[in-house]
Amino acid sequence: MPRTDMPHNGRPHSLDAWWMPFTANRQFKAAPRLLVRAEGMYYRDADDRPILDGAAGLWCCNAGHARPRIVQAIQQQAATLDFAPPFQMGSPLPFVLAERLATLAPGPLNHAFFTNSGSEAVDTAMKIVLGYHRLRGEGQRTRFIGREKAYHGVGFGGLSIGGLPNNRKGFGPLLAGSDFLRHTLDLSRNAFSPGLPRHGAELAEDLERLIALHDASTIAAVFVEPIAGSAGVILPAPGYLQRLREICDQHGILLVFDEVITGFGRVGNAFAAQRFGVTPDLLTMAKGLTNGAVPMGAVLVSDAIHDAYMQGPPGAIELFHGYTYSGHPLACAAALAALDTYAAEGLFDRAIELGEYWQTRLHSLRGLPNVVDIRNFGLIGAVELAPRKGAPGSRGYEVFERCFRDGQLLVRCTGDVIALSPPLIIEREQIDRIVDVLGEMIRATG
């Protein structure tokens, strides 16, 4: 029988029942922005208008939308093996995907633990870190070091090491024992820097300060995003990540890269770790892993960490952790097809090939009213606007909404920062369109 509750015109009968995430629900439902179809570089809204995707959905659709190889893989897998239990059982695709990821990853990151999101990947990495130190007789290493303005998902672990105040303040004390490096955003010295900022490598020395405060023997790991996306595209100065690696090595602290946003070609190469030449001990991923088509995350783990767990009786469970949907067959099929698409179309090279043009066009917006900074690296960009007095975030939101309604362009809005991360299939004329529309909407916003 046909479904009678499905909207025929792209508009649901009611918007009330869904409590939307990270959304001003009453504001949205008074004037909804509904996307109903997508293909390539474009969404279609409920009025059938083409909406140019300047954000890869939510940093995740790196190969664009409705890619045939990925669609077909999901359809075929659903008809073949829709689900298989991952506890004490297995199915083929998670093993195949883990091997593919190990081949793509830098250095000794040869083992993958599958999750369903970036948030779960971060919490999983935290547990693996704690267990690793305990196995080595250093169970006192329980402290995590995050960074101000960092976003590591919304699990209690990720919130505890994340540095976005609005995400933290409503949920109590969170996990004890976390501390924070300073963020690397410095408009006074680095505003309008093309590419990586010149100043700020010395901020890595903050880690030495925290080590002196807490003692290295208590610190389990340092978590950083190579580029902080959700806080508004905050970039590291050359040498910053390298120095964090050196300090961690000196003191026996693990280094974890959160590459949920930067993975899968966003900055060039498979991962930012390779683009920046720094190999972490663990690496979290999600989003572009399946091109956003099916929820999935993963933690890549070094040989040394993995092998520390593979001791004791062969019949003993090594890690009491996992999810019903770890290595879900549909997610694995989507991920393998996404990796095939990236490889067949050379998409990991696009951020380097187009990076200079992207940078030039974005920085052409300098001098527009209320623009206080422009940041870029690879195919990531941000335009920061001066906040309105007494109404921070309102100017950024108005530009975001104008882009959608008047410019048929989807961008990200995080406070007064307009963030951009288009699909890697973008062409130069579409870069021009993004910049031209954004500039027009900034001019139109008081």
Side-chain angles (χ1 to χ4, degrees):
M1 290 182 62
R3 293 279 303 277
T4 58
D5 58 341
M6 293 296 289
H8 299 291
N9 59 357
R11 291 181 171 83
H13 303 303
S14 171
L15 304 179
D16 186 60
W18 184 27
W19 190 347
M20 300 171 66
F22 280 113
T23 300
N25 278 250
R26 290 163 295 172
Q27 181 186 59
F28 176 90
K29 292 171 184 180
R33 296 172 294 276
L34 297 175
L35 303 172
V36 298
R37 290 187 290 122
E39 184 176 4
M41 281 293 301
Y42 290 88
Y43 283 103
R44 290 272 176 173
D45 70 1
D47 295 317
D48 203 35
R49 301 185 309 154
I51 307 295
L52 179 60
D53 186 359
L58 196 59
W59 307 90
C60 50
C61 301
N62 289 0
H65 299 278
R67 300 308 309 273
R69 192 191 304 260
I70 301 172
V71 171
Q72 291 165 12
I74 295 169
Q75 292 172 334
Q76 291 171 7
Q77 187 60 44
T80 303
L81 179 66
D82 58 345
F83 176 78
F87 302 169
Q88 305 287 18
M89 296 294 296
S91 59
L93 293 190
F95 297 98
V96 177
L97 177 58
E99 186 68 26
R100 286 282 297 276
L101 292 174
T103 301
L104 281 176
L109 299 176
N110 291 318
H111 306 275
F113 194 102
F114 291 116
T115 69
N116 307 293
S117 67
S119 294
E120 289 183 0
V122 167
D123 280 22
T124 295
M126 294 175 74
K127 292 175 75 173
I128 290 173
V129 163
L130 293 173
Y132 168 73
H133 286 304
R134 185 169 182 174
L135 287 167
R136 295 173 61 252
E138 295 192 76
Q140 80 282 357
R141 288 187 181 266
T142 59
R143 188 178 304 278
F144 291 102
I145 305 299
R147 190 165 55 178
E148 296 170 351
K149 293 187 178 293
Y151 178 74
H152 295 296
V154 295
F156 270 91
L159 282 180
S160 299
I161 58 174
L164 294 175
N166 285 341
N167 287 11
R168 296 169 55 87
K169 65 185 181 183
F171 305 106
L174 303 177
L175 301 183
S178 296
D179 209 336
F180 298 89
L181 302 166
R182 284 178 292 172
H183 62 75
T184 61
L185 182 63
D186 186 347
L187 297 190
S188 66
R189 294 192 295 170
N190 292 324
F192 300 104
S193 296
L196 297 183
R198 293 176 56 192
H199 304 285
E202 74 282 357
L203 292 171
E205 301 301 328
D206 258 14
L207 182 53
E208 291 281 20
R209 175 178 60 83
L210 296 179
I211 288 170
L213 174 65
H214 299 296
D215 193 88
S217 67
T218 70
I219 300 174
V222 174
F223 277 71
V224 293
E225 303 159 278
I227 295 173
S230 296
V233 184
I234 301 177
L235 303 167
Y240 173 85
L241 295 172
Q242 286 82 352
R243 182 59 182 144
L244 287 182
R245 175 76 276 180
E246 291 171 359
I247 297 172
C248 286
D249 287 343
Q250 181 182 349
H251 295 283
I253 300 167
L254 297 179
L255 179 63
V256 185
F257 277 4
D258 184 339
E259 293 225 32
V260 170
I261 281 176
T262 53
F264 303 101
R266 178 52 54 192
V267 298
N269 303 109
F271 299 103
Q274 292 148 325
R275 182 76 193 271
F276 292 133
V278 180
T279 300
D281 300 294
L282 300 92
L283 186 154
T284 64
M285 66 184 72
K287 294 189 185 289
L289 174 58
T290 65
N291 199 49
V294 178
M296 191 180 209
V299 184
L300 286 178
V301 179
S302 70
D303 290 328
I305 295 172
H306 172 267
D307 292 349
Y309 278 89
M310 299 301 134
Q311 309 296 326
I317 294 173
E318 297 91 4
L319 177 63
F320 279 83
H321 175 71
Y323 305 94
T324 299
Y325 301 117
S326 290
H328 192 284
L330 266 66
C332 289
L336 288 165
L339 294 179
D340 288 343
T341 301
Y342 295 145
E345 299 179 14
L347 295 184
F348 289 172
D349 299 324
R350 295 287 285 167
I352 297 174
E353 293 170 356
L354 290 171
E356 186 173 347
Y357 189 76
W358 173 251
Q359 174 176 288
T360 299
R361 290 297 285 118
L362 273 185
H363 282 269
S364 71
L365 299 175
R366 182 174 183 174
L368 291 188
N370 302 307
V371 173
V372 297
D373 191 22
I374 296 169
R375 301 184 285 275
N376 72 279
F377 190 77
L379 277 174
I380 296 178
V383 178
E384 184 161 349
L385 306 171
R388 289 172 172 152
K389 186 176 181 180
S394 64
R395 178 173 280 125
Y397 179 82
E398 185 176 334
V399 171
F400 155 75
E401 189 174 47
R402 283 179 183 271
C403 283
F404 181 81
R405 297 201 185 281
D406 301 332
Q408 296 177 217
L409 170 66
L410 178 68
V411 298
R412 282 280 296 136
C413 169
T414 173
D416 284 302
V417 177
I418 302 300
L420 302 162
S421 60
L424 305 176
I425 61 173
I426 194 169
E427 299 293 344
R428 292 187 177 212
E429 57 269 25
Q430 293 161 335
I431 292 176
D432 292 338
R433 167 105 190 281
I434 289 173
V435 173
D436 291 345
V437 169
L438 180 56
E440 181 183 348
M441 300 310 151
I442 289 173
R443 291 185 190 94
T445 301

XYZ file of all heavy atoms in Angstrom, residues 4 19 104 106 116-117 131-132 172 192-193 274 293 311 335 357:
127
model
N 0.490 7.048 3.097
C -0.387 8.227 3.034
C 0.150 9.393 3.839
O -0.380 10.490 3.770
C -1.792 7.865 3.556
O -1.666 7.381 4.905
C -2.430 6.798 2.686
N 12.253 17.340 17.058
C 13.082 18.278 17.813
C 14.435 18.314 17.114
O 15.239 17.403 17.237
C 13.213 17.786 19.247
C 13.842 18.780 20.191
C 14.513 19.920 19.879
C 13.843 18.680 21.617
N 14.945 20.547 21.010
C 14.546 19.807 22.102
C 13.329 17.765 22.526
C 14.752 20.027 23.462
C 13.527 17.987 23.871
C 14.224 19.103 24.337
N 45.350 3.783 3.145
C 45.294 5.228 2.935
C 45.981 6.008 4.040
O 46.469 7.120 3.811
C 43.834 5.696 2.874
C 43.055 5.500 1.586
C 41.616 5.949 1.804
C 43.684 6.284 0.444
N 48.406 7.383 7.182
C 49.845 7.564 7.329
C 50.452 6.593 8.326
O 49.797 6.159 9.273
C 49.949 9.008 7.857
C 48.673 9.220 8.599
C 47.633 8.443 7.842
N 29.591 4.903 14.611
C 28.486 5.388 13.780
C 28.522 6.891 13.558
O 27.646 7.428 12.884
C 27.156 5.010 14.428
C 27.084 3.527 14.727
O 27.053 2.717 13.817
N 27.094 3.170 15.998
N 29.507 7.577 14.124
C 29.571 9.026 14.008
C 30.937 9.493 14.484
O 31.693 8.731 15.100
C 28.488 9.687 14.870
O 28.755 9.470 16.251
N 42.554 2.573 28.240
C 42.860 1.151 28.373
C 44.301 0.832 28.018
O 44.942 -0.015 28.663
N 44.827 1.515 27.010
C 46.213 1.293 26.585
C 47.189 1.625 27.713
O 48.096 0.837 28.028
C 46.504 2.138 25.353
C 47.962 2.230 24.976
C 48.620 1.142 24.397
C 48.687 3.398 25.200
C 49.967 1.221 24.053
C 50.029 3.489 24.856
C 50.662 2.394 24.290
O 51.985 2.483 23.947
N 26.403 20.319 33.113
C 27.080 19.972 34.348
C 28.586 19.947 34.229
O 29.173 20.490 33.289
N 43.300 38.045 7.704
C 43.400 38.059 6.241
C 44.670 37.368 5.730
O 45.166 37.686 4.650
C 43.306 39.491 5.689
C 42.015 40.177 6.029
C 41.967 41.136 7.029
C 40.835 39.839 5.378
C 40.773 41.762 7.360
C 39.634 40.459 5.690
C 39.602 41.416 6.694
N 45.164 36.395 6.489
C 46.307 35.611 6.011
C 45.849 34.657 4.925
O 44.917 33.874 5.147
C 46.918 34.806 7.162
O 47.449 35.642 8.159
N 48.735 13.811 6.617
C 49.701 13.698 5.526
C 50.031 15.064 4.937
O 51.188 15.351 4.626
C 49.128 12.754 4.462
C 49.036 11.319 4.944
C 47.869 10.563 4.332
O 46.801 11.122 4.093
N 48.065 9.277 4.092
N 26.520 9.459 3.033
C 25.366 8.697 2.557
C 24.767 7.791 3.627
O 23.551 7.565 3.643
C 25.751 7.870 1.333
N 46.992 -9.298 23.953
C 47.755 -10.107 24.898
C 46.771 -10.963 25.697
O 45.569 -10.823 25.579
C 48.569 -9.205 25.828
C 49.418 -8.157 25.128
C 50.506 -8.748 24.264
O 51.075 -9.799 24.591
N 50.797 -8.093 23.150
N 30.976 3.321 2.186
C 32.336 3.811 2.364
C 33.261 3.289 1.273
O 34.070 4.049 0.715
C 32.855 3.407 3.744
N 43.187 29.119 -6.555
C 42.059 29.866 -7.104
C 41.018 30.151 -6.025
O 40.488 31.267 -5.912
C 41.426 29.098 -8.261
C 40.400 29.908 -9.024
C 40.801 30.891 -9.916
C 39.031 29.706 -8.833
C 39.874 31.651 -10.618
C 38.094 30.456 -9.519
C 38.517 31.427 -10.408
O 37.594 32.181 -11.085
